[in-house]
Amino acid sequence: MSPLLYKIAKKCLFQLNPETAHTITLAGLRMAERLRILGLIAGTPENDPVELWGLKFPNRVGLAAGMDKEADTIDAFGRLGFGFVEVGTLTPRPQPGNPKPRLFRLIPQEGIINRMGFNNHGIDEGVCNIEKQSTFKGIVGVNIGKNKVTPNDEANHDYLSCLRAAWPVADYIAVNFSSPNTPGLRELQKADSAARLLAVLKAEQSNLVSDTGKKVPLLMKVAPDMEIDQIRELSRIFLDGGLDGLIATNTTLGRGGVERHPRHQEAGGLSGKPLTKRSTEIIQAFAAELGGRIPIIGVGGIMTGDDAVEKLRAGASLVQLYTGFIYKGPNLIGDCVRAMREQSPAAKGGEA
């Protein structure tokens, strides 16, 4: 995409309320895809094929959950060059999310604070939307969560319901138990709760494999706001429980780097450039504990191709974009693919 074209679009969109701008952007992408002009605008996607969990990813750069909450813009995001698209978070029942306003730009710091609260139309509509997508040839991940009204001691039922519903259409399923915007959700990251949730989901995964003959990897998404002792504890649980993959990280409750912004005290999770360093540190810590036995998707503050490479060096196998995509535009996808491709053993003349 022409940098000038995105600069103009961004200037117009940033005049609008962030949530309104988001809605308009996704509607515009879907329209451009239907009219078959999005490919002309975006250009040819970059390739850097990699296989993970038996899945063939066209490249290592994905769209993080939270952008396509209703799973109705997959084809368009694929046309922009993403190798995989993670939709959701989807919950068993539709819910409106938290009261508005709930999304805030911190433009000088290239950050975003959100307290959306899993606003979505429910897992059944999300699955129907995925089934309608027709042109995307990459990998589709489905991010699942619990409804706000569901107490934590019944959360397993919500996750199981979503797991079963998403199974036929998902290439992988990501369990979101780390969002800061559903009250008490992060309590599920405590050792006992995490171990129980993982055991229940892995048992159902095994049942579904037997019933359908299809294997869908199970991933869990963790928060950046944890100390090394919790990382070690969770790593043991993930290894012992047979977790297929880890996504690190979600948004942060910390406000480092944005303390002087007038919006810094807004409730919610912070993403973007202020999270870059912390997210990479968490990836590195988990990678050290997991020893390469559980692949990691790195997400959090990827604003340049070099940021993506740092996630790989920290131990990630794939990366995802969210806030960086908003601030930098679609060209960031190709920048990240090329930067990581140049770091591959094949590019350096080593073994593939």
Side-chain angles (χ1 to χ4, degrees), residues 104-226:
F104 309 92
R105 302 185 192 98
L106 285 64
I107 296 175
Q109 294 84 8
E110 295 187 320
I112 288 175
I113 291 175
N114 94 81
R115 51 173 180 264
M116 302 298 288
F118 290 174
N119 55 304
N120 73 108
H121 293 162
I123 186 70
D124 291 338
E125 184 166 331
V127 168
C128 288
N129 287 337
I130 294 171
E131 291 174 332
K132 294 175 184 176
Q133 306 303 303
S134 60
T135 63
F136 182 52
K137 304 304 181 185
I139 300 299
V140 176
V142 178
N143 188 294
I144 61 174
K146 80 173 188 71
N147 282 108
K148 183 178 181 179
V149 298
T150 303
N152 276 3
D153 59 4
E154 298 177 15
N156 290 1
H157 301 300
D158 277 15
Y159 287 106
L160 282 171
S161 176
C162 287
L163 180 72
R164 294 174 187 131
W167 190 268
V169 299
D171 292 310
Y172 72 82
I173 294 173
V175 177
N176 188 346
F177 67 157
S178 57
S179 170
N181 300 319
T182 296
L185 186 69
R186 287 190 173 185
E187 294 296 308
L188 297 178
Q189 289 187 132
K190 290 184 177 179
D192 291 346
S193 297
R196 283 194 297 270
L197 177 59
L198 179 56
V200 166
L201 292 174
K202 286 295 292 185
E204 185 61 15
Q205 180 192 42
S206 180
N207 291 336
L208 289 166
V209 171
S210 297
D211 292 343
T212 66
K214 177 186 178 184
K215 173 68 183 291
V216 179
L218 185 68
L219 287 68
M220 299 183 98
K221 187 169 185 175
V222 296
D225 307 313
M226 61 177 71

Side-chain angles (χ1 to χ4, degrees), residues 14 18 103-113 255-266 270 274 327:
F14 273 39
L103 187 63
F104 309 92
R105 302 185 192 98
L106 285 64
I107 296 175
Q109 294 84 8
E110 295 187 320
I112 288 175
I113 291 175
R255 293 295 184 264
V258 302
E259 299 92 340
R260 296 186 179 183
H261 194 282
R263 291 286 194 183
H264 81 278
Q265 292 184 323
E266 293 286 354
L270 172 66
Y327 279 99

